[in-house]
Amino acid sequence: MFADLKALARGLWTTLRHLRRPKNTELYPEQKRPVSERFRGRHRLYRYDNGLERCIGCHLCAGACPSQAILVIAAENDPGKPVSFGERYAKQFEVNMIRCIFCGFCEEACPVEAIRLGPEYELADETRESFVYTKEMLLDPERYAPKRQFHADVDAPRGRAGGRPEDEAGVSGAPPGHRDTPTGARPPVQKEVGQ
Amino acid sequence: MNDFTISLARSLIAVALLMTAMPYITWFERRLLSQMQARVGPNRVGLFGLLQPLADGLKLFFKEDVRPAGADRLLFVTAPAMALFAAIATFAVVPIGPTVHVAGADVPMVVADLPVGALYVVGASSLGIYALLFGGWSSGSKYSLLGALRAAAQVVSYELLLGMAIVCVVLIHGSMSIGDIVAGQQRTAWTIWMQPIAFVLYLIAACAETNRAPFDLPEAETELVAGYLTEYSGMRFALFFIAEYINMFTVSALAATLFLGGWSGPFWPGPHWLLLKILLFLFLFVWVRATLPRLRYDQLMRLSWSTLIPLAMLNVAITAVVIVALG
């Protein structure tokens, strides 16, 4: 019986001590956890440094998309005033965020690193129409996407797709700052091919 | 102002007090419990979540009132009201402060200082068990019935303990009137110094009486869905819920009154001392809930019948002998 009382007292002491313990709760809307470098949130479309859109309207992302969330309608570039590097550009580019399953196949399929999944995850909205993200919203989300999707702590700039149009020749090699080698992550293992 | 008006006013004030205290007990419990579990607790509605009980109440008010097809209509409707009635009625004999002088009349700050107050407490608190039984039986559901049966067995076992703990207090002060018991403690000392065992027994019995952890077998949400509450929803559920928390408040107030001198204190006697002591007991209840797991049914019965009740009987016998010996 004495041992029981001792156990009881120890239990009570444990819970009492927890009053002063730091809490595990994350006060979500006010405090947001930084997401992983490899987090797949809302898409972004990227430009080259000279302002040309990277997207060449090739439909590969739309073809790779398992849930058919991407619509691409391509048009010929005007040689005098090109929108993108190459012959064609995406006249219309839409991602339906209700359909999207954030698998990242589109960014894998893209030959010019034009589309990436970003860190933004607060995509809830009220109408179906508002989930169809247009090219403007994807290219320039800071200006056109809903304001609530941006938070200083979560949305820290991450490896922007840099490079110049001239790099197009070597698309197999990732442009500098690509997320294949995220900061802090293990560098990719160099495989020795043949002898 | 005639006596009737004064009595009515006192009753209304007591009911208002209980109904105001109750939401904040739920808030207090949820906040404190979460702190002990490394959580934050409700903090969204109002400052520190203080308006959370209001939001909960509103939500329950607008919920659908479901009545099972197999339910006994009369009893199903009566049971929650009865639970609340029993909970509020018990508080009637608890004095919350010294007699005050209002509008040319001496008004005692108690609804009714019955000469058999201690007996009334035991009676009124066991009235609540009928509400649980009726609720469980009339729902026409096996979980409700099992919960009600457990509740009946548990409360019968612990009612006895509660009674015997109170008997010791009554023996010491030589009166069943709660007012006399408070006055007696002011003259001599708090009952807890003379009856520490009865105090501990009372606390354990009070935990079991109010169906709180570790004695929450009647509700036992992890085993019995919610025991006798299973089929209740909306405001009827809320009535049971309110009754439970008012019971908690009342047994805390009684513990403070019977063992810690009630509203009296080292200086400025008044309701604030009672409130402070009640808060102490509420803290204890929540603390125990955060610490102890629910007892198994056989453990509950063995604890009562083979440990606590013999101890209580012995305590009553020794107290009686000592009082007679001392004259």
Side-chain angles (χ1 to χ4, degrees):
Chain A
M1 177 164 164
F2 188 71
D4 288 350
L5 287 178
K6 201 178 150 197
L8 190 72
R10 276 187 60 181
L12 287 170
W13 172 242
T14 305
T15 38
L16 193 67
R17 220 176 35 199
H18 269 74
L19 279 178
R20 302 198 36 95
R21 279 272 190 88
K23 310 296 169 231
N24 292 332
T25 311
E26 278 161 20
L27 298 167
Y28 161 62
E30 290 87 21
Q31 296 170 8
K32 293 182 172 60
R33 294 173 64 172
V35 295
S36 153
E37 282 283 343
R38 303 164 71 175
F39 188 84
R40 297 195 297 260
R42 197 210 351 73
H43 308 72
R44 285 183 173 210
L45 286 176
Y46 287 88
R47 293 174 195 272
Y48 290 104
D49 285 347
N50 65 3
L52 285 180
E53 287 172 18
R54 295 185 76 107
C55 179
I56 52 172
C58 71
H59 294 263
L60 279 178
C61 51
C65 182
S67 52
Q68 294 168 21
I70 302 179
L71 169 77
V72 185
I73 294 174
E76 295 285 327
N77 261 325
D78 176 3
K81 218 176 116 226
V83 178
S84 74
F85 178 83
E87 290 172 18
R88 302 204 300 169
Y89 72 103
K91 194 173 139 205
Q92 201 180 346
F93 191 103
E94 286 177 6
V95 179
N96 186 332
M97 284 296 170
I98 297 181
R99 302 200 66 125
C100 179
I101 58 167
F102 303 97
C103 63
F105 283 10
C106 47
E107 52 180 4
E108 274 181 32
C110 186
V112 291
E113 309 285 347
I115 190 165
R116 292 270 188 82
L117 296 176
E120 297 83 20
Y121 51 84
E122 295 186 324
L123 308 176
D125 218 321
E126 284 163 17
T127 60
R128 286 173 176 275
E129 293 72 35
S130 60
F131 280 97
V132 178
Y133 282 35
T134 60
K135 195 168 100 172
E136 287 68 40
M137 291 164 81
L138 296 164
L139 267 173
D140 201 354
E142 280 77 4
R143 193 186 300 166
Y144 296 110
K147 278 280 174 289
R148 64 171 177 284
Q149 292 180 5
F150 301 100
H151 313 285
D153 46 349
V154 174
D155 213 22
R158 299 195 298 187
R160 187 175 61 91
R164 302 174 305 277
E166 292 83 63
D167 291 341
E168 203 66 18
V171 281
S172 56
H178 189 272
R179 267 198 289 152
D180 280 351
T181 51
T183 47
R186 192 166 55 90
V189 178
Q190 295 289 322
K191 270 192 191 156
E192 287 186 352
V193 183
Q195 285 218 291
Chain B
M1 266 218 304
N2 55 16
D3 283 353
F4 178 76
T5 323
I6 293 175
S7 299
L8 192 68
R10 287 189 304 195
S11 308
L12 288 178
I13 288 171
V15 171
L17 182 82
L18 289 176
M19 291 310 243
T20 317
M22 177 265 157
Y24 289 96
I25 302 171
T26 68
W27 175 84
F28 177 77
E29 167 163 34
R30 291 175 69 181
R31 289 292 290 199
L32 187 59
L33 197 63
S34 57
Q35 303 287 318
M36 287 178 172
Q37 295 169 342
R39 297 184 287 123
V40 172
N43 64 346
R44 297 281 131 184
V45 195
L47 196 65
F48 302 115
L50 272 168
L51 295 179
Q52 183 71 42
L54 195 72
D56 290 342
L58 274 176
K59 184 196 79 174
L60 282 170
F61 200 76
F62 288 111
K63 283 249 172 179
E64 186 188 355
D65 178 32
V66 182
R67 193 165 47 200
D72 182 308
R73 289 185 108 180
L74 182 67
L75 283 184
F76 189 78
V77 175
T78 320
M82 216 167 133
L84 186 60
F85 170 76
I88 293 176
T90 315
F91 193 76
V93 289
V94 179
I96 59 168
T99 302
V100 288
H101 204 69
V102 178
D106 283 333
V107 182
M109 279 163 85
V110 57
V111 176
D113 189 10
L114 300 177
V116 287
L119 204 60
Y120 170 85
V121 164
V122 179
S125 72
S126 47
L127 201 62
I129 188 59
Y130 284 103
L132 309 195
L133 267 178
F134 286 176
W137 179 261
S138 66
S139 296
S141 144
K142 52 183 168 294
Y143 296 111
S144 303
L145 186 61
L146 283 174
L149 287 177
R150 280 183 175 198
Q154 172 179 327
V155 176
V156 164
S157 309
Y158 282 86
E159 189 80 11
L160 211 57
L161 194 62
L162 190 82
M164 281 196 268
I166 293 179
V167 161
C168 295
V169 181
V170 170
L171 279 175
I172 291 234
H173 295 286
S175 170
M176 276 204 172
S177 149
I178 307 281
D180 287 354
I181 290 174
V182 174
Q185 290 181 82
Q186 280 170 298
R187 271 199 311 279
T188 54
W190 288 358
T191 325
I192 184 174
W193 307 127
M194 295 175 270
Q195 284 292 345
I197 295 176
F199 176 67
V200 173
L201 291 176
Y202 176 89
L203 281 187
I204 295 173
C207 250
E209 275 285 300
T210 49
N211 302 325
R212 286 194 56 82
F215 303 104
D216 57 344
L217 277 92
E219 194 175 331
E221 69 276 15
T222 39
E223 309 162 29
L224 287 174
V225 192
Y228 63 93
L229 281 172
T230 308
E231 302 295 343
Y232 281 95
S233 60
M235 263 334 257
R236 287 196 225 287
F237 169 81
L239 286 185
F240 270 122
F241 199 73
I242 293 169
E244 188 180 321
Y245 279 87
I246 290 184
N247 270 329
M248 210 171 129
F249 186 81
T250 309
V251 294
S252 302
L254 273 170
T257 306
L258 294 176
F259 293 96
L260 296 185
W263 47 263
S264 60
F267 46 86
W268 302 326
H272 45 275
W273 284 106
L274 185 68
L275 196 65
L276 196 71
K277 289 164 189 172
I278 289 173
L279 274 177
L280 189 78
F281 284 111
L282 290 178
F283 179 85
L284 192 73
F285 277 134
V286 178
W287 187 16
V288 166
R289 177 180 167 189
T291 307
L292 299 180
R294 184 181 308 127
L295 262 65
R296 224 168 44 216
Y297 195 65
D298 59 310
Q299 293 171 331
L300 176 93
M301 285 298 156
R302 194 178 317 125
L303 179 68
S304 170
W305 290 105
S306 66
T307 312
L308 297 178
I309 288 182
L311 189 67
M313 284 172 139
L314 203 67
N315 194 36
V316 172
I318 292 174
T319 308
V321 167
V322 168
I323 285 176
V324 170
L326 293 178

